[in-house]
Amino acid sequence: MSTWLDEIKWDEKGLLPAIAQDHKTGKILMFAWMNQQALQLTVEQGHAVYWSRSRNKLWHKGEESGHQQIINDIRLDCDGDVILLSVEQKGGIACHTGRERCFYRQLVDEQWQDTDPVLKDLKNIYSK
Amino acid sequence: MSTWLDEIKWDEKGLLPAIAQDHKTGKILMFAWMNQQALQLTVEQGHAVYWSRSRNKLWHKGEESGHQQIINDIRLDCDGDVILLSVEQKGGIACHTGRERCFYRQLVDEQWQDTDPVLKDLKNIYSK
């Protein structure tokens, strides 16, 4: 096992929170989880690979949608238990709803308000 | 219970991952957890309150260090299970190591390299 992977503190399920940030705009695109294999593949292949907790398998981001996240930079936090990816977002769409980012709901007057437009219909994203 | 809190999907421990981003620079400052009370207090008081999993209690960020995070904007992701805070970081230091941000380690040639300077000695942060 590589040393840089050993320095990471995986949680009790062997997972690590991962934040993806657009390398140009600085916008937070999404949040997901990685296991060790996902992070290793991310580094080796140069695009984000997550661990899908709902599907219980590796999730090569963009494998269906084409919306890959090309790795620009990888950072670890002080406690060694969270990872930050700076990425180039292919297609300009990170969210499965067809929006640029997953954080499209803003708290305004105690209500969640959608602030971001849907850039592409779901049927056009996943019809391949 | 308020409606906007009901829309959040807390995990099996009643917690929610929270990302704090500097509202001016866009830098990711830190990652922590909130329970419902922490998020409610964050909104009511206008500065970040987290749930400390190690100390098992509410953590009013900056209560010892003075490094409060004043809330500028709160966003929720598509799945409703991660929160993003845009904050003004008091003192310009978010990390308990005395650095601007917790994500000061960059992966370079399969090694984690420190990239950010310590802006303030720990003994000067927590000596109050």
Side-chain angles (χ1 to χ4, degrees):
Chain A
M1 199 191 295
S2 338
T3 310
W4 67 275
L5 279 168
D6 289 342
E7 289 183 51
I8 294 172
K9 289 184 200 138
W10 309 88
D11 75 6
E12 67 279 7
K13 293 174 185 162
L15 299 178
L16 179 77
I19 304 164
Q21 181 175 32
D22 188 288
H23 77 117
K24 277 195 182 159
T25 66
K27 282 187 186 175
I28 307 305
L29 299 172
M30 55 176 278
F31 172 93
W33 295 84
M34 289 187 173
N35 63 4
Q36 190 173 302
Q37 191 186 2
L39 180 54
Q40 199 153 20
L41 285 169
T42 295
V43 170
E44 284 171 14
Q45 302 189 357
H47 59 85
V49 180
Y50 300 106
W51 176 257
S52 169
R53 297 184 304 168
S54 57
R55 290 177 290 165
N56 215 35
K57 65 173 195 174
L58 286 172
W59 165 30
H60 288 256
K61 170 71 179 165
E63 64 191 335
E64 288 180 60
S65 62
H67 298 153
Q68 276 194 332
Q69 295 176 332
I70 309 303
I71 302 299
N72 177 59
D73 181 44
I74 297 183
R75 290 179 169 271
L76 187 65
D77 77 337
C78 50
D79 296 327
D81 60 2
V82 182
I83 207 131
L84 173 62
L85 310 175
S86 170
V87 303
E88 177 198 340
Q89 178 60 60
K90 290 291 181 188
I93 295 174
C95 186
H96 74 286
T97 64
R99 293 178 175 87
E100 178 188 12
R101 55 178 173 172
C102 296
F103 295 92
Y104 61 81
R105 290 191 278 176
Q106 184 182 28
L107 188 62
V108 181
D109 297 334
E110 304 203 344
Q111 289 198 333
W112 298 110
Q113 292 190 358
D114 289 8
T115 58
D116 297 15
V118 173
L119 302 175
K120 199 169 175 182
D121 275 351
L122 288 185
K123 64 177 186 296
N124 296 326
I125 294 180
Y126 296 104
S127 62
K128 297 186 194 180
Chain B
M1 198 191 296
S2 338
T3 309
W4 66 276
L5 280 168
D6 289 342
E7 288 183 51
I8 294 172
K9 289 182 200 140
W10 308 88
D11 74 7
E12 67 278 7
K13 294 173 185 164
L15 299 178
L16 179 75
I19 303 163
Q21 180 175 33
D22 188 288
H23 77 117
K24 276 195 182 159
T25 65
K27 283 187 185 174
I28 307 305
L29 299 173
M30 55 177 278
F31 171 93
W33 295 83
M34 289 187 173
N35 63 5
Q36 189 173 304
Q37 193 186 1
L39 180 54
Q40 199 153 18
L41 285 169
T42 295
V43 170
E44 284 171 14
Q45 302 189 359
H47 59 86
V49 180
Y50 300 106
W51 177 257
S52 169
R53 297 184 304 167
S54 56
R55 289 177 289 165
N56 215 36
K57 65 172 194 172
L58 286 173
W59 164 30
H60 288 256
K61 170 73 179 162
E63 63 190 335
E64 288 180 60
S65 63
H67 299 154
Q68 275 194 332
Q69 295 176 332
I70 309 303
I71 302 299
N72 177 59
D73 181 44
I74 297 182
R75 289 178 170 271
L76 187 65
D77 78 336
C78 51
D79 296 327
D81 60 2
V82 183
I83 208 132
L84 173 62
L85 310 175
S86 169
V87 303
E88 177 197 342
Q89 178 61 59
K90 289 291 180 188
I93 295 175
C95 186
H96 75 288
T97 64
R99 292 179 175 87
E100 179 188 13
R101 55 178 173 172
C102 296
F103 295 93
Y104 60 83
R105 290 192 277 176
Q106 184 182 29
L107 189 61
V108 181
D109 297 333
E110 302 202 345
Q111 290 196 334
W112 297 109
Q113 293 190 358
D114 288 8
T115 58
D116 296 16
V118 172
L119 301 176
K120 199 170 176 181
D121 275 352
L122 288 186
K123 64 178 187 294
N124 297 325
I125 295 180
Y126 296 105
S127 62
K128 297 187 194 180

